[in-house]
Amino acid sequence: MNRKLLRSVREYKRQTILTPVLVALEVLMEVIIPLLMANIIDVGIEQGDMGYIIRLGLLLVVLAMAALVFGAKAGQLAAIASAGYAKNLRHDIFYKVQDFSFGNIDHFSTSGLVTRLTTDITNVQMAYMFSIRLLARAPIMIILSLIMTMTISVPIALLLLVTIPVLGGVLIYIAKKAHPHFIQVFDEYDVLNNTVQENVNAARVVKAYVREEHEKEKFGKISTIVFDLFTKAEKIVAWNSPIMQFTVYAVVLIMVLIGGKSIIGGTMLTGELTSVIVYAIQILSSLMMVTFVFVQIMIAEASTDRISEVLDEVPEMEDAADAVADVPNGDIDFEHVNFSYSGEGGNLSLKDVNLHIKSGQIVGIIGGTGSAKSTLVQLIPRLYDVTEGSVKVGGIDVRKYNLKALRDQVSVVLQKNVLFTGSIYENVRWGDENASDEEVQRVCKLAQADGFIQEFPAKYETMIVEGGNNVSGGQKQRLCIARALLKKPKILILDDSTSAVDTKTDALIRQAFREEIPDTTKIIIAQRVSSVEDADVIIVMENGEINGIGTSEELLKTNKIYREVYESQVKGDADNE
Ligand SMILES: Nc1ncnc2c1ncn2[C@@H]1O[C@H](COP(=O)(O)OP(=O)(O)O)[C@@H](O)[C@H]1O
Ligand SMILES: [Mg+2]
């Protein structure tokens, strides 16, 4: 198993080491028991010595009980060790993912991460448990039983010595044959999880578009693939049991032949024959267990690889030791910024962007979808790093800041914003967990959210469910703005955050910003010209480049795109009245 993953065993090392020790003791008992049986038959019964039979019988019971206790304790410890190991692994992956930048998250799909945290961990846990329990058991059992057999009958021991590698080889061959199918199954699991997750997340959209039949079909298809692959793999593995049975019967038969001859010749006793038969069965079933564990380990191998990928992913952004902890003001400068989502050499989403925004300004950004408006603003709180050039906040390169300090001062309402399950209070307090009720209410008033909150029966204690499905789009947007405001940021970025809010409320929000947070730099991305018209500067984006920059008045004279959008919207509004 992967060395690096084993680091997560941590405080469960004791259980991990104790398990095989107890297993060894259990095996020792199990090896002595057939020996006692042989003596009961060969000495006690043969000589009709009842006292001897009872004495050995009692000893046998004690040993059997001891075996039971050791076995049970080993099972418990193995369960604790493996479940604890799984817990630690899950913890490590989860914490690692928290350190991921947006770029890191882009490398893995969401369902990929979920599968890693669930199915893959379970696979590793199972393999780990079987490994510490059975991998110790089999070799000890085989060696001790072989030695015991050797003391009773050398020919039978030789027979077993030949059988072990042959049967072991066959069983491993079967496991190897089935392995690729199992690997495929787990790849398909990813697809299956993805399908289910997408469907469940978007259940409302699926219903609105009456795509249930299509979704069922999609699910049915992938579900069938998983079924087929599993059947294929299990069909191969199913050979294990009959081959095993056949071998056991064949070996026992040969042993009876050899043993019978020896008994008749007087070199072996009946009890001894029964005990070697028990040893043979113990040896062969141990072999079976080993191959079973091999299959588990092989299955887990794919999972460990996938888990390692996450643990080995280098978080793109880590604070330098001398990171700047204070953002002096809300100035923003872009200097020759190029940016590509796929890193250096990739397709440029932003091309040679130069921009200078003074603290406290209101900046409007307008442009078609895909013109890189969101990409542009995501560089300011360092959700992504520039590919070339630099982005400065308060005159300092954003890469020099302590990430938390920067993000506390640069508050973004993302285009794809979400609320979390919890009350309105709890949701808004994401902005500042120590904020008083009054402060929360103040920012909600600023974001024009107080009005509708007061209309809810539970007011600020109203529970938000499922990422905000029980409030309207416009209400959700205003709650997200309130949450961002609570940080008292030096820079506030709204990425299309009032698209579902009516024009009048939109204007009230901007008015509140102007009056209540005059020193905060406000960047407003919008589709509506009316949302940016009164901004100090308006940036027109086109294909990842700045197409024009200036006040609304200036742009109307100089910028074709702005003029066209302005005319179509203002004219459209006039027509509607
Ligand atoms: N996470 C991402 N990974 C790769 N490409 C992306 C990602 N997000 C956006 N893009 C691409 O970057 C370009 C600009 O997108 P975006 O900034 O979202 O535009 P806008 O916000 O103006 O609609 C688009 O071509 C889009 O496909
Ligand atoms: Mg966008």
Side-chain angles (χ1 to χ4, degrees), residues 376-446:
L376 179 84
V377 296
Q378 283 174 7
L379 299 181
I380 303 170
R382 223 186 145 199
L383 295 175
Y384 288 97
D385 268 338
V386 295
T387 309
E388 273 172 280
S390 70
V391 173
K392 289 177 185 162
V393 165
I396 300 168
D397 194 308
V398 288
R399 285 167 292 194
K400 295 227 168 77
Y401 282 109
N402 169 289
L403 207 53
K404 183 174 181 318
L406 176 71
R407 291 192 186 156
D408 274 346
Q409 292 303 326
V410 183
S411 205
V412 204
V413 180
L414 292 173
Q415 193 167 16
K416 296 178 197 151
N417 52 31
V418 274
L419 295 171
F420 291 81
T421 303
S423 70
I424 290 181
Y425 271 134
E426 283 163 359
N427 264 286
V428 176
R429 280 206 181 99
W430 272 62
D432 174 7
E433 46 190 318
N434 300 318
S436 67
D437 288 1
E438 289 69 36
E439 272 176 279
V440 172
Q441 290 168 15
R442 188 183 65 82
V443 291
C444 284
K445 280 190 189 123
L446 259 174

Side-chain angles (χ1 to χ4, degrees), residues 507-522:
L508 285 174
I509 294 175
R510 271 176 291 123
Q511 192 190 336
F513 284 174
R514 214 179 272 281
E515 288 164 7
E516 306 285 335
I517 46 166
D519 299 331
T520 300
T521 311
K522 291 150 290 249

Side-chain angles (χ1 to χ4, degrees), residues 1-13 15-16 77-93 117 120-132 300 303-305 307-308 311:
M1 212 183 280
N2 192 312
R3 282 258 169 79
K4 209 169 329 133
L5 288 198
L6 286 179
R7 266 191 233 142
S8 302
V9 175
R10 295 201 282 274
E11 72 267 32
Y12 296 96
K13 272 201 198 82
Q15 285 90 338
T16 299
L77 287 180
I80 293 172
S82 57
Y85 174 42
K87 179 195 80 179
N88 286 349
L89 255 187
R90 215 175 281 124
H91 170 279
D92 293 351
I93 299 176
L117 278 161
D120 285 327
I121 297 253
T122 312
N123 287 339
V124 174
Q125 178 180 345
M126 294 304 268
Y128 190 69
M129 183 174 80
F130 288 129
S131 300
I132 57 178
S303 294
T304 48
D305 288 349
I307 292 172
S308 305
L311 293 179

Side-chain angles (χ1 to χ4, degrees), residues 369-370 372-375 378 415 495-496 525 527:
T369 40
K373 304 182 296 296
S374 297
T375 307
Q378 283 174 7
Q415 193 167 16
D495 189 351
D496 216 5
I525 298 182
Q527 294 297 328

Side-chain angles (χ1 to χ4, degrees), residues 248-403:
V248 169
Y249 288 129
V251 166
V252 168
L253 198 69
I254 299 173
M255 283 169 65
V256 170
L257 282 180
I258 300 175
K261 248 175 95 184
S262 307
I263 292 175
I264 293 168
T267 50
M268 197 194 222
L269 300 170
T270 327
E272 287 179 333
L273 180 59
T274 25
S275 63
V276 282
I277 289 177
V278 174
Y279 288 135
I281 292 174
Q282 280 178 342
I283 289 173
L284 297 182
S285 48
S286 296
L287 262 186
M288 175 98 172
M289 279 181 200
V290 174
T291 48
F292 173 72
V293 177
F294 268 129
V295 173
Q296 282 293 335
I297 292 179
M298 279 179 179
I299 291 175
E301 202 72 33
S303 294
T304 48
D305 288 349
R306 292 154 44 89
I307 292 172
S308 305
E309 271 170 28
V310 178
L311 293 179
D312 290 346
E313 175 90 2
V314 182
E316 282 177 345
M317 294 168 192
E318 273 176 308
D319 289 338
D322 56 350
V324 183
D326 268 321
V327 179
N329 59 51
D331 287 351
I332 302 169
D333 300 281
F334 276 62
E335 268 152 35
H336 297 290
V337 169
N338 283 339
F339 174 76
S340 156
Y341 279 101
S342 42
E344 218 144 322
N347 234 355
L348 286 184
S349 290
L350 282 177
K351 282 156 257 170
D352 196 33
V353 171
N354 290 287
L355 196 58
H356 302 282
I357 297 168
K358 282 263 146 287
S359 203
Q361 276 186 320
I362 299 183
V363 182
I365 303 181
I366 208 152
T369 40
S371 59
K373 304 182 296 296
S374 297
T375 307
L376 179 84
V377 296
Q378 283 174 7
L379 299 181
I380 303 170
R382 223 186 145 199
L383 295 175
Y384 288 97
D385 268 338
V386 295
T387 309
E388 273 172 280
S390 70
V391 173
K392 289 177 185 162
V393 165
I396 300 168
D397 194 308
V398 288
R399 285 167 292 194
K400 295 227 168 77
Y401 282 109
N402 169 289
L403 207 53

Side-chain angles (χ1 to χ4, degrees), residues 23 32 129 141 151 172 183 194 213 227 233 269 316 430 489 542-543 547 567:
V23 166
I32 299 175
M129 183 174 80
M141 180 63 102
T151 61
I172 285 175
I183 299 286
N194 205 359
E213 284 310 316
F227 168 80
L269 300 170
E316 282 177 345
W430 272 62
E542 163 85 344
N543 274 331
N547 183 272
E567 277 168 4

Side-chain angles (χ1 to χ4, degrees), residues 103 152 208 328 522 575:
I152 297 170
K522 291 150 290 249
D575 285 352

